[in-house]
Amino acid sequence: MMLFYRLIIAPTAIMLLPVLSLFSRKLRAGLSLRIHQGKIPKFENRPIWIHAASGEFEYAKALIRELKARRPEIPIAVTYFSPTYVQAIKKSELVDFCHPLPLDLPGPCRSFVKSLNPRQLLIARTDLWPELLSQVARLGIPKTVFSYTQKKPKNFFQKILTRWRLSFVDAIYCVSETDRRELETLGFVAEVIGDTRYDQVHHRLTHPKSLPEHLKPTKPTLILGSGWEADEGVVIEALSPLLKAKRLKLILVPHEPTPQHITHLKKRLTRADLSFALYSTGENWDSKTTLIVDQVGILAELYTWADFAVIGGSFKSSVHSVMEALGAGLVTYVGPFHANNREAVEFQQVMIHDNQSVTCVQNAQELRCKIEGWIDNEHALRLHQQGVKQEFLRRLGASAQLCNKIAQ
């Protein structure tokens, strides 16, 4: 199978990249990164190499922090596949060196691994490249995958492909017992240590960016996190009566706060006869119903200002992460499109005093009914929030466990 991959699959895919890049800005950026890549430095100590394809870097951060705390003299090298996260990785003080993953061909992979000369390779989640792993194996470098999740293969071909890719890995540390059992049916031994991203979210919430204290709401507040137009429509329709009655405040955090979208959102609120203020102006919004957050990078901190959260994307096509809202202890809601997010599904089964930690609502009327019930029972609301936080905290520690494992 490796021979077929080397002679047919990989070369064909790479030859098509220049053509496909004509239609994709992201592909063009990825090719540009690899054409203009810098040299690999010579490290005094052999580095630990962590591969995080893109957003998987969020799973790696807590692990890197733990490694640095224990062995600060060992450099951390991070590779990435997608250009989406490159700036976040470059800006991280935790990372000593970062580099785009080479194209999955024998020459580039062999040259990269020899030049980097890592003491081990740690792969976040599921981004397994056969040629790269083959070249790492030739040099006897240990290969570990962490925060791994495994769904049941949809067909025979997917099953064979999964088995083949995992066959290159020395150790698999997965998120849950369900993942472990599924891997067992595929013929692999794995160990459950949990999800390192819980540790990262907890760190972010306990080491927040500074927010203007005078903007913090003093009434019960719902936040729409990373919302799209479809989400905003449901939330505004659901909460308008509560907002006008001054029983609730609303924070809207668009997924893409472009000038065009902010203008559209203002018009929508005006039509609903709802007053609003923009976060960027610093205007005190005590007398307004809604705060529109027209900047990025502060959503995690804003969750700590709220009591309730609706997670964006769940009324559009696929929900964004619920983890930050849960870490802040919020009563959390998702719309019907949430099956893509493991925690959104899992926490619907986690009951706090007979209430779900994450609740799915189908429409505006259902959301309004749920929120009204909580507003009328503040004591139950606080107990629920405490319970959600405890459930979140119970899932911490995967990064420390993983450090113990790889140190062995």
Side-chain angles (χ1 to χ4, degrees):
M1 192 164 181
M2 190 67 195
L3 185 62
F4 181 68
Y5 178 80
R6 280 178 175 162
L7 295 179
I8 306 296
I9 298 176
T12 301
I14 289 167
M15 282 190 294
L16 287 173
L17 280 178
V19 177
L20 296 174
S21 68
L22 296 173
F23 308 97
S24 169
R25 184 170 58 182
K26 189 174 179 180
L27 273 179
R28 288 197 298 275
L31 284 174
S32 178
L33 280 173
R34 286 159 177 82
I35 292 170
H36 301 102
Q37 60 192 15
K39 292 184 178 179
I40 299 170
K42 297 294 182 184
F43 294 103
E44 189 173 325
N45 287 313
R46 293 176 69 192
I48 291 176
W49 172 16
I50 296 177
H51 175 60
S54 181
E56 287 80 1
F57 186 56
E58 293 299 316
Y59 295 84
K61 282 180 180 177
L63 171 61
I64 297 172
R65 193 175 293 109
E66 190 76 26
L67 289 168
K68 283 290 190 183
R70 299 187 186 196
R71 298 291 300 275
E73 76 281 5
I74 297 179
I76 300 294
V78 174
T79 54
Y80 50 88
F81 180 79
S82 168
T84 306
Y85 239 72
V86 59
Q87 291 306 317
I89 297 171
K90 283 183 175 180
K91 289 177 182 177
S92 174
E93 296 178 355
L94 301 169
V95 177
D96 298 292
F97 170 71
C98 66
H99 197 275
L101 198 71
L103 297 174
D104 208 39
L105 296 171
C109 288
R110 187 182 307 118
S111 174
F112 177 80
V113 176
K114 282 186 174 181
S115 298
L116 186 62
N117 190 28
R119 61 182 67 213
Q120 56 185 297
L121 168 60
L122 307 171
I123 302 168
R125 304 283 280 173
T126 58
D127 200 45
L128 305 173
W129 291 90
E131 187 61 60
L132 184 78
L133 292 172
S134 176
Q135 297 299 329
V136 171
R138 287 182 63 182
L139 295 174
I141 298 165
K143 306 169 296 300
T144 297
V145 61
F146 65 93
S147 292
Y148 187 84
T149 57
Q150 180 61 58
K151 293 181 180 179
K152 188 176 182 63
K154 295 179 181 178
N155 50 53
F156 178 74
F157 175 76
Q158 192 179 70
K159 186 175 183 178
I160 294 298
L161 185 61
T162 301
R163 278 179 171 169
W164 179 56
R165 294 170 71 225
L166 284 173
S167 68
F168 293 99
V169 177
D170 299 313
I172 305 171
Y173 296 106
C174 58
V175 169
S176 71
E177 182 62 23
T178 302
D179 299 311
R180 190 199 66 78
R181 286 196 298 267
E182 194 59 51
L183 284 163
E184 190 175 53
T185 65
L186 295 171
F188 294 96
V189 175
E191 189 171 345
V192 179
I193 64 167
D195 191 335
T196 56
R197 189 157 179 259
Y198 282 100
D199 298 327
Q200 172 55 26
V201 169
H202 180 65
H203 178 83
R204 174 72 185 274
L205 291 171
T206 52
H207 297 78
K209 297 175 183 176
S210 178
L211 298 180
E213 194 64 26
H214 73 281
L215 293 182
K216 186 175 181 179
T218 55
K219 290 182 180 179
T221 302
L222 182 141
I223 181 169
L224 170 58
S226 206
W228 296 86
E229 187 175 340
D231 308 306
E232 291 161 355
V234 172
V235 168
I236 291 170
E237 180 187 344
L239 302 185
S240 284
L242 300 176
L243 295 169
K244 291 173 183 176
K246 298 184 178 181
R247 299 178 65 195
L248 188 71
K249 303 281 271 185
L250 174 62
I251 300 175
L252 295 174
V253 188
H255 183 73
E256 295 179 348
T258 61
Q260 295 83 358
H261 184 76
I262 296 300
T263 299
H264 177 78
L265 190 51
K266 288 179 182 178
K267 290 179 179 178
R268 175 171 250 168
L269 290 167
T270 301
R271 286 196 301 270
D273 195 25
L274 295 173
S275 57
F276 57 84
L278 291 179
Y279 180 90
S280 61
T281 66
E283 176 190 354
N284 189 306
W285 62 299
D286 276 348
S287 61
K288 309 289 177 65
T289 64
T290 306
L291 181 67
I292 301 174
V293 181
D294 51 346
Q295 71 178 60
V296 298
I298 54 172
L299 177 57
E301 287 78 10
L302 288 168
Y303 277 128
T304 66
W305 279 8
D307 301 281
F308 314 97
V310 174
I311 310 301
S314 58
F315 287 97
K316 178 179 180 284
S317 57
S318 58
V319 72
H320 299 295
S321 173
V322 302
M323 206 178 276
E324 290 81 2
L326 294 171
L330 304 191
V331 178
T332 303
Y333 295 98
V334 294
F337 302 105
H338 64 267
N340 62 295
N341 185 270
R342 170 179 285 235
E343 293 77 36
V345 175
E346 175 192 339
F347 273 84
Q348 289 185 57
Q349 308 305 316
V350 177
M351 305 301 291
I352 309 293
H353 304 293
D354 299 325
N355 291 294
Q356 295 172 298
S357 297
V358 171
T359 302
C360 176
V361 291
Q362 299 295 323
N363 51 50
Q365 184 177 2
E366 191 175 348
L367 176 60
R368 183 190 306 148
C369 181
K370 297 285 186 183
I371 298 298
E372 282 181 327
W374 285 115
I375 292 176
D376 292 335
N377 194 340
E378 185 177 350
H379 178 68
L381 173 61
R382 300 305 169 215
L383 286 177
H384 181 86
Q385 291 172 331
Q386 291 170 14
V388 171
K389 276 191 177 181
Q390 289 170 3
E391 284 293 333
F392 181 89
L393 294 173
R394 204 165 57 80
R395 289 161 170 77
L396 300 182
S399 301
Q401 286 189 61
L402 181 56
C403 276
N404 293 337
K405 298 292 183 183
I406 62 178
Q408 297 169 11

